[in-house]
Each structure stands twice: as C-alpha cells, then as structure tokens.
Amino acid sequence: LNALLKFFRLAVVQLHVTKVKADNLSRARGLIKEAAARGAKLVVLPECFNSPYGTGFFPEYAEKIPGESSQVLSEAAKESQVYLVGGSIPEEDDGGKLYNTCPVFGPDGSLVLKHRKIHLFDIDVPGKIRFQESETLSPGSNLSVFDTPYCRVGVGICYDIRFAELAQLYSKKGCQLLVYPGAFNMTTGPAHWELLQRGRAVDNQVYVATASPARDETASYVAWGHSTVVSPWGEVISKAGSEETVVYADIDLQYLANVRQQIPITAQRRSDLYTVNAVQEG
C-alpha cells in the first residue's frame, strides 16, 4: 500500500472560460469527471475559471464561499472522489472586500482550505500590458498547505509564482507538489511562464503544476494557456497547447526522493548565513 501512495495521477484542466458563469461551472464539472475516469486523484482548475479575467468583471462575478461556484466544486469533488484545487474565483467576504481565491476540496466534498492570492498582479509594461488587480481586489495574508494520502501540497495563484520565497516556505513545510492556477498573458506568458515553473521546481526539488484558462483571442485579457507540469529535476513532463484540454502527469514521489538524495541541497543549506522564514503562519 505504501508503495502505491508514492505514485498518483494529477490532472490539470485548461478550461475555455466564457462570460456565462453557469456554462463555465458545468463544463468544469464535466472535465473533472473525465479526469477522474482517467485515474486522476488530484485535479487542478485554472485561475478565474468561473468568470472572465478583468478588474471590471471581479465585482460582477464575485461570490461568497460557500456559494454557487464552491457548491458545484464540492459536489464535483465528491462525485468524482478527487482532491480538487478549484482554480480561483472572485470572492466577496462579509465586509464587502474582494479577493482572488482558490478553494480546495477533499474527495468527501469538504472545503479543505481557501487560498486568497497573496501577491496582487499590478504590472505596467509600456506598450504591451498594464493591469492593476489592486483596483478592485485585496491581497490574502495566509500561506496555504493541505495534506493528501500521497503528499503535502502548497497552493499559490498566478503572480504568487514569481515570489521564490513562498515556494521555499512551502518546501520547508514539507510540500512535494506546488500548484499554481494562473492566467499569464501574451506578453509575460512566452517570456516567463515555463521559466518560473521550472525555477520553482528545481530550486525546491518539488513537482510544480500550473492551470491556465484556454486562450480566447476575443477576450479583453488573452490568457497564454500552456498549462504545465514540471518534475523536481526541472523537466517539463506535461504541457497543453492553447486550446481547451486536460493534461495528465504521473507524480512519482520515489523519483522526487531520489533527486533529493542525488543533489542534497536541503541538507547543504547554510542556515548559519541565511534563512527564509514566515512572519505569519498560515
């Protein structure tokens, strides 16, 4: 049994997101079911999977958790008996604040955690792209880690992946898989999307999985797509194109252990010279 738990199938759903929330939810549910039928034990949805991505859309599509979208995800996780990383949705709290939030569900349909995006996407690349999430969203303030029978998993959302410290802290907490639902764009996507994932993977000797929405050239924000899974060696083991699809990867925790044994950076760190610590535990 122990040997079996060192190996599991991960599925990343690259969903085509429309302006119709009900359609997004039902198509996501169908793809989760398909992934489970193909042996996936953990399924990851894309960032902002129930709504178009944009500061103008967040207030319009925002929901409480629990709410309509989280209810559908809870039922989908339960019916397919999978761990479900629910991409992200615009969340409204009781005080009216909005967050970019990833709810995670267990195979029994329970809400395991919700990760509110820590680092807001505020960038300005002249002549290419300007985007300011902080115009409508507030940042989260917790690290988000959950346990499965296979391994511990750390959760970030999109821009969170640029911050190596977060991945290091997750690794320090015992995570062997990091998941980042994310919607990079046509400027940052080709430049940094794969590079960042491979960097986070090789720095921490962990698996890294990203889930992007499918590319829609007619949308106001065009996602890069190319949802990916990277091994602890920094190798791309699964990658989508730009269309709607589900990509699979077999996560081999014995392989991860071998990589860490061969290049034992964790034991070789000079904690007498430097360290990365969480200020606030989450």
Side-chain angles (χ1 to χ4, degrees):
L1 179 67
N2 202 23
L4 285 176
L5 295 182
K6 289 197 178 299
F7 197 86
F8 71 98
R9 178 161 283 190
L10 168 76
V12 176
V13 176
Q14 184 161 290
L15 184 74
H16 175 70
V17 178
T18 71
K19 288 185 176 177
V20 185
K21 186 187 280 188
D23 288 355
N24 297 330
L25 292 172
S26 75
R27 204 156 61 257
R29 190 173 189 160
L31 291 170
I32 292 162
K33 209 168 183 175
E34 177 190 309
R38 292 187 59 179
K41 299 297 182 193
L42 193 154
V43 180
V44 187
L45 294 179
E47 181 179 28
C48 219
F49 84 93
N50 72 341
S51 118
Y53 185 77
T55 50
F57 296 112
F58 298 145
E60 185 188 340
Y61 285 78
E63 298 178 23
K64 298 273 199 315
I65 295 176
E68 178 191 359
S69 296
S70 60
Q71 183 59 38
V72 169
L73 295 180
S74 167
E75 290 166 8
K78 192 173 183 178
E79 75 183 359
S80 292
Q81 296 195 301
V82 293
Y83 284 89
L84 178 59
V85 176
S88 81
I89 67 170
E91 179 203 6
E92 182 179 3
D93 72 5
D94 292 334
K97 276 187 168 181
L98 301 183
Y99 300 90
N100 187 341
T101 302
C102 173
V104 177
F105 299 87
D108 59 354
S110 64
L111 179 66
V112 176
L113 65 78
K114 58 181 189 182
H115 175 76
R116 288 170 168 169
K117 189 176 193 173
I118 299 173
H119 304 94
L120 294 184
F121 180 55
D122 286 5
I123 69 163
D124 190 350
V125 183
K128 297 280 181 73
I129 183 167
R130 181 181 182 277
F131 199 96
Q132 306 286 314
E133 269 189 331
S134 63
E135 286 171 357
T136 50
L137 299 180
S138 296
S141 53
N142 286 301
L143 307 185
S144 303
V145 167
F146 68 97
D147 286 309
T148 73
Y150 314 102
C151 69
R152 182 167 281 184
V153 183
V155 184
I157 299 173
C158 199
Y159 203 57
D160 285 339
I161 200 173
R162 287 189 180 271
F163 298 85
E165 299 89 342
L166 180 63
Q168 278 180 284
L169 287 169
Y170 283 161
S171 177
K172 214 171 171 180
K173 286 173 171 287
C175 295
Q176 296 179 305
L177 168 65
L178 306 182
V179 293
Y180 295 94
F184 271 45
N185 53 67
M186 301 300 286
T187 298
T188 61
H192 301 147
W193 177 242
E194 185 182 298
L195 175 67
L196 285 164
Q197 294 172 65
R198 295 181 71 190
R200 298 300 79 93
V202 83
D203 276 353
N204 300 290
Q205 299 176 319
V206 292
Y207 282 94
V208 172
T210 57
S212 168
R215 191 180 305 167
D216 177 358
E217 303 280 2
T218 67
S220 56
Y221 180 96
V222 182
W224 173 238
H226 297 293
S227 302
T228 307
V229 184
V230 180
S231 82
W233 191 255
E235 181 187 3
V236 173
I237 51 175
S238 258
K239 189 173 184 176
S242 59
E243 308 294 313
E244 179 172 279
T245 186
V246 181
V247 294
Y248 299 88
D250 290 321
I251 304 300
D252 183 348
L253 299 168
Q254 186 54 58
Y255 173 74
L256 179 146
N258 294 346
V259 166
R260 289 182 172 187
Q261 198 174 3
Q262 291 159 14
I263 304 179
I265 53 174
T266 303
Q268 294 165 337
R269 284 215 165 88
R270 289 290 304 274
S271 55
D272 57 322
L273 297 178
Y274 54 79
T275 185
V276 175
N277 290 315
V279 176
Q280 180 175 332
E281 283 304 313

